[in-house]
Amino acid sequence: METEINSIESYKNIYQKSITNTEEFWAEVASDYEWIKPWNKVFTGSFEEANISWFNEAKLNISSNCLDKNLKENGDKTALIWEPNNPNDATIKWTYKDLYIQTCKLANGLKSLGVVKGDRVCIYMPMIPEAVASMLACARIGAIHTVVFAGFSSSALADRINDCGCKVIITADAFYRGEKKIDLKTITDEAISNCPSIEKRIIYIHSNEPLVWIHELDINYHELIENQSNECKAEAMDSEDPLFILYTSGSTGKPKGLVHTSAGYMVYVGYTFAQVFQYKSGDIHWCTADIGWITGHSYIVYGPLLNGATTVLFEGIPTYPAADRNWEIVDKHQVNIFYTAPTAIRSLLAYGESPLENKKLDSLKILGTVGEPINEEAWAWYNKHIGKDNCPIVDTWWQTETGGILISPIAGITPLKPTFATLPMPGVLPILVDEHGNTVLGNGVEGNLCIAKPWPAIARSIYGDHKRYIETYLTIYKGHYFTGDGSKRDADGYYKITGRVDDVINVSGHRIGTGEVEDAINEHSIVIESAIVAYPHDIKGQGLYAFIICNANYMDEYALTNEIKAIVADKIGAFAKPDKIQIVKNLPKTRSGKIMRRILRKIAENDDSNFGDTSTLIDSSVVESIWEKRK
Ligand code: PRX
């Protein structure tokens, strides 16, 4: 069966076959990979029973598929180009052979510390090549990696380590993001003091400042790998053995550790990388995400490496030392595929076209966006000034839970429609559902987005809480996976994602749960209650607006606001700080005690045109008093 998409007709044929002959389709895709033992059944299970399983009884190792498989013909090919934060520092290029050796040495080092298959290893690293080697080293020995974005605070890090009981943490001494120093050693010192499961901390010396080592705990990364063998036999993983856990925000305060498994994730991510970006041998691929998010896992590390591609890893930020940094990197490394977030585009658009002077950008073939809806203006600017009206823009919709891209144009093949994610990937069956759970048929319609058929890379569980997994994703619309997003399907059958329909807010493409931020704010001694809602933000897409009730003895509002922001930075990370804070006497609540967020959202948006029915509120005058102060 044909699986490579190379024309609109082939997309239609392949899509049709993938839906009617799903198992045959994925078996064909999977035949491109190296299996230690073949599967005996491509798929079993159902959404109803929450027991999805792909490539049953097969054995494989994803790190072998990323490395060993490519060594045979492409050992000297560049696997990874590292661009440092400071442009005056040297770029590092690792070939597939280099990455293989670095991975094997670290894998052996982890083994020497007693790490075995199934152990959890936390990776809290800057964007450096060793972070990629760390992920692959875990995968190689069957340890489950949990990468935590190095912008999370010590307390958020400790929560994640404790939730999945990590035995080892791999980190660095410190790094710079732009001009800001991130002191990972100190942050992990604080976190580990509350993490009884951590036995060892491996520290990569990156910024070379004096360190106080903790004798029993710490190991120098360089020393750990120095005398290890260059070879490490890859563990034969069962298809459904967990590969990694990645935390993301949900409707409640507690983040969810999504569990991704070995075979299905590998097959799906490798396939979607090749198809969506129409990867051609020799292409240089740059995804600007952080490896701490799913985009970094799937389209910086696993997707490109499974395809033998060259992937760019950038340590810094687009505005350092100046707002032309991204474009400089594109020219410097002759990037062919550039994949970024709408927030980054909006923030660079705000600098105008002067950062583009003297930039050629002529290596670019394909552009992508991910993580949040893109607005018309940002799309048009990206298309004209970066793509020079000559590069298809793939607006890829997917989630931490989905593992890989589910809805997206196929670059240069399926039609684009600005601000639309357009059409589903092969094997993916999106449906729209109304509030009563009925499927909305036909085109020119809107509803909650569900996926009606399991696909190989769907997360199989929430670590330690399968019940929450079932309740969050598989119960609301029985027999379907519920995404938490709203969507339109236009007259042509193209999907446009309209945003979250639950208590999750997408700030600069970072997914933040309102409950998480509220829990952090409520820890302030004079806060009685808080409610967070989203409001439209020119750069970030959505901003966080906090309504806060304080007890009588609060001091001056300015000081309090700063303290609230500091507490959120401390509990979660600076990226989750509220943009606006309003102190209120009361919150609009129904008789059953539920906060009417719909009204708060309107107030945050500075819109009093229609607060809707307020008759169910205990006290409707609350709305007026909040609005008066907002004005
Ligand atoms: O609301 C959707 C939005 O990001 C959410 C998933 O966030 P996360 O798990 O952090 O993964 C982000 C990277 C894959 C979705 O529920 N989202 C993601 N991509 C798009 C998007 N919204 C609109 N258009 C997209 N292309």
Side-chain angles (χ1 to χ4, degrees):
M1 189 195 279
E2 188 56 58
T3 61
E4 303 284 314
I5 303 169
N6 48 33
S7 65
I8 181 81
E9 289 70 36
S10 81
Y11 166 76
K12 287 181 187 159
N13 285 336
I14 289 170
Y15 183 76
Q16 204 47 49
K17 284 188 191 147
S18 74
I19 297 300
T20 46
N21 283 331
T22 308
E23 291 190 44
E24 194 191 329
F25 171 77
W26 286 115
E28 184 61 38
V29 175
S31 67
D32 279 348
Y33 296 85
E34 281 183 352
W35 300 88
I36 299 167
K37 177 175 168 249
W39 56 89
N40 68 356
K41 181 96 180 72
V42 177
F43 173 76
T44 60
S46 68
F47 281 149
E48 281 84 355
E49 290 176 73
N51 59 351
I52 307 300
S53 170
W54 285 89
F55 308 107
N56 290 285
E57 291 185 27
K59 289 202 184 281
L60 74 146
N61 187 289
I62 194 171
S63 104
S64 301
N65 274 277
C66 289
L67 301 173
D68 315 33
K69 184 165 174 265
N70 290 314
L71 281 191
K72 291 173 197 149
E73 284 168 18
N74 281 324
D76 294 327
K77 182 175 175 184
T78 305
L80 204 151
I81 299 174
W82 179 66
E83 175 66 21
N85 179 59
N86 182 342
N88 299 322
D89 290 346
T91 292
I92 291 175
K93 292 187 181 179
W94 277 7
T95 63
Y96 271 90
K97 187 88 201 282
D98 296 331
L99 183 57
Y100 173 84
I101 292 172
Q102 291 295 324
T103 299
C104 287
K105 279 177 164 290
L106 182 60
N108 287 326
L110 288 170
K111 276 182 167 175
S112 75
L113 300 178
V115 177
V116 296
K117 181 178 168 185
D119 282 344
R120 275 78 60 214
V121 173
C122 178
I123 299 173
Y124 187 65
M125 294 276 265
M127 289 281 287
I128 54 175
E130 287 73 14
V132 177
S134 298
M135 292 166 76
L136 293 171
C138 289
R140 194 153 191 97
I141 62 172
I144 304 167
H145 60 69
T146 181
V147 186
V148 177
F149 169 54
F152 275 111
S153 68
S154 62
S155 142
L157 172 64
D159 288 348
R160 284 155 179 75
I161 291 173
N162 288 334
D163 187 73
C164 65
C166 296
K167 190 167 173 180
V168 168
I169 177 167
I170 310 177
T171 189
D173 49 355
F175 73 104
Y176 283 85
R177 192 181 275 135
E179 281 175 355
K180 193 169 168 221
K181 185 177 174 197
I182 319 282
D183 196 343
L184 297 179
K185 164 74 166 53
T186 311
I187 299 171
T188 53
D189 277 346
E190 280 167 26
I192 292 171
S193 64
N194 295 311
C195 296
S197 62
I198 291 285
E199 293 172 12
K200 291 287 174 199
R201 169 171 57 181
I202 303 169
I203 305 178
Y204 180 82
I205 302 300
H206 183 53
S207 80
N208 254 325
E209 284 170 45
L211 276 195
V212 181
W213 296 83
I214 301 177
H215 181 63
E216 292 289 293
L217 178 72
D218 291 335
I219 299 147
N220 181 321
Y221 186 108
H222 297 270
E223 288 168 16
L224 177 69
I225 68 167
E226 204 171 20
N227 296 319
Q228 300 291 346
S229 157
N230 287 351
E231 302 288 335
C232 174
K233 189 169 182 295
E235 184 77 31
M237 302 294 285
D238 285 338
S239 52
E240 287 296 326
D241 277 337
L243 170 65
F244 65 84
I245 299 167
L246 186 59
Y247 285 86
T248 191
S249 298
S251 296
T252 68
K254 190 175 181 315
K256 303 176 279 198
L258 273 315
V259 180
H260 282 281
T261 57
S262 302
Y265 176 82
M266 172 178 82
V267 170
Y268 192 82
V269 165
Y271 178 69
T272 51
F273 173 79
Q275 303 309 313
V276 169
F277 300 105
Q278 286 290 294
Y279 169 73
K280 301 285 176 285
S281 177
D283 281 349
I284 312 277
H285 171 81
W286 180 20
C287 164
T288 68
D290 191 280
I291 50 151
W293 309 115
I294 191 69
T295 310
H297 282 58
S298 301
Y299 299 109
I300 295 178
V301 181
Y302 290 112
L305 298 177
L306 285 166
N307 283 278
T310 301
T311 187
V312 176
L313 194 68
F314 174 40
E315 188 187 22
I317 53 172
T319 48
Y320 177 80
D324 65 348
R325 187 71 193 276
N326 276 359
W327 320 129
E328 197 172 288
I329 296 173
V330 167
D331 280 353
K332 179 174 174 188
H333 298 303
Q334 292 292 290
V335 171
N336 306 115
I337 306 169
F338 179 71
Y339 188 31
T340 196
T343 291
I345 300 167
R346 284 190 293 264
S347 71
L348 294 174
L349 172 163
Y351 287 89
E353 278 77 62
S354 62
L356 292 165
E357 280 164 20
N358 309 320
K359 303 291 182 299
K360 290 203 174 77
L361 305 183
D362 55 356
S363 56
L364 289 173
K365 294 196 299 187
I366 286 150
L367 302 176
T369 66
V370 58
E372 42 174 334
I374 186 163
N375 48 313
E376 296 268 359
E377 189 195 359
W379 198 97
W381 187 85
Y382 196 35
N383 184 43
K384 180 170 176 203
H385 295 288
I386 308 305
K388 316 280 188 203
D389 292 318
N390 204 20
C391 299
I393 300 177
V394 291
D395 177 346
T396 64
W397 173 83
W398 57 297
Q399 310 177 297
T400 305
E401 293 84 345
T402 70
I405 297 165
L406 292 199
I407 305 182
S408 168
I410 304 291
I413 290 182
T414 60
L416 304 177
K417 200 174 264 193
T419 78
F420 279 68
T422 74
L423 298 172
M425 289 294 106
V428 173
L429 188 60
I431 57 165
L432 299 180
V433 185
D434 68 19
E435 70 269 30
H436 309 295
N438 301 316
T439 305
V440 185
L441 299 172
N443 287 341
V445 292
E446 219 170 310
N448 287 345
L449 178 64
C450 293
I451 311 294
K453 241 175 129 57
W455 64 101
I458 184 176
R460 305 294 197 262
S461 193
I462 291 175
Y463 190 82
D465 199 349
H466 197 59
K467 188 162 164 271
R468 185 176 178 198
Y469 171 81
I470 296 171
E471 283 167 3
T472 310
Y473 305 113
L474 305 178
T475 306
I476 304 170
Y477 301 110
K478 206 77 197 144
H480 306 312
Y481 164 79
F482 175 45
T483 64
D485 279 324
S487 175
K488 287 181 180 162
R489 185 168 54 225
D490 76 354
D492 297 326
Y494 287 22
Y495 289 87
K496 177 185 171 84
I497 310 303
T498 49
R500 301 288 306 193
V501 294
D502 55 7
D503 294 330
V504 170
I505 301 179
N506 218 317
V507 180
S508 305
H510 295 323
R511 191 166 148 177
I512 298 174
T514 53
E516 258 174 288
V517 184
E518 289 161 6
D519 285 356
I521 293 176
N522 296 350
E523 290 204 15
H524 192 294
S525 56
I526 65 169
V527 171
I528 296 173
E529 196 176 0
S530 60
I532 299 279
V533 294
Y535 73 99
H537 189 289
D538 285 349
I539 305 279
K540 299 176 175 186
Q542 290 188 304
L544 298 182
Y545 196 115
F547 295 91
I548 297 180
I549 307 178
C550 296
N551 63 25
N553 53 20
Y554 84 85
M555 22 148 185
D556 84 86
E557 215 162 303
Y558 180 72
L560 179 63
T561 301
N562 285 335
E563 283 185 25
I564 299 280
K565 288 185 178 175
I567 210 164
V568 175
D570 183 53
K571 296 281 162 201
I572 305 172
F575 65 89
K577 285 196 279 196
D579 300 275
K580 293 187 179 169
I581 296 177
Q582 182 177 339
I583 316 289
V584 296
K585 289 207 171 63
N586 272 307
L587 289 166
K589 284 191 180 167
T590 62
R591 275 166 236 286
S592 60
K594 211 169 160 268
I595 297 170
M596 267 227 194
R597 287 172 191 272
R598 173 177 61 74
I599 294 176
L600 292 179
R601 252 178 248 128
K602 289 221 117 199
I603 295 175
E605 285 166 17
N606 215 358
D607 173 8
D608 70 338
S609 58
N610 177 14
F611 287 135
D613 180 12
T614 55
S615 63
T616 54
L617 293 178
I618 306 172
D619 176 3
S620 60
S621 71
V622 170
V623 178
E624 280 127 57
S625 84
I626 300 178
W627 174 249
E628 278 308 309
K629 192 159 174 210
R630 168 73 169 109
K631 279 199 297 185

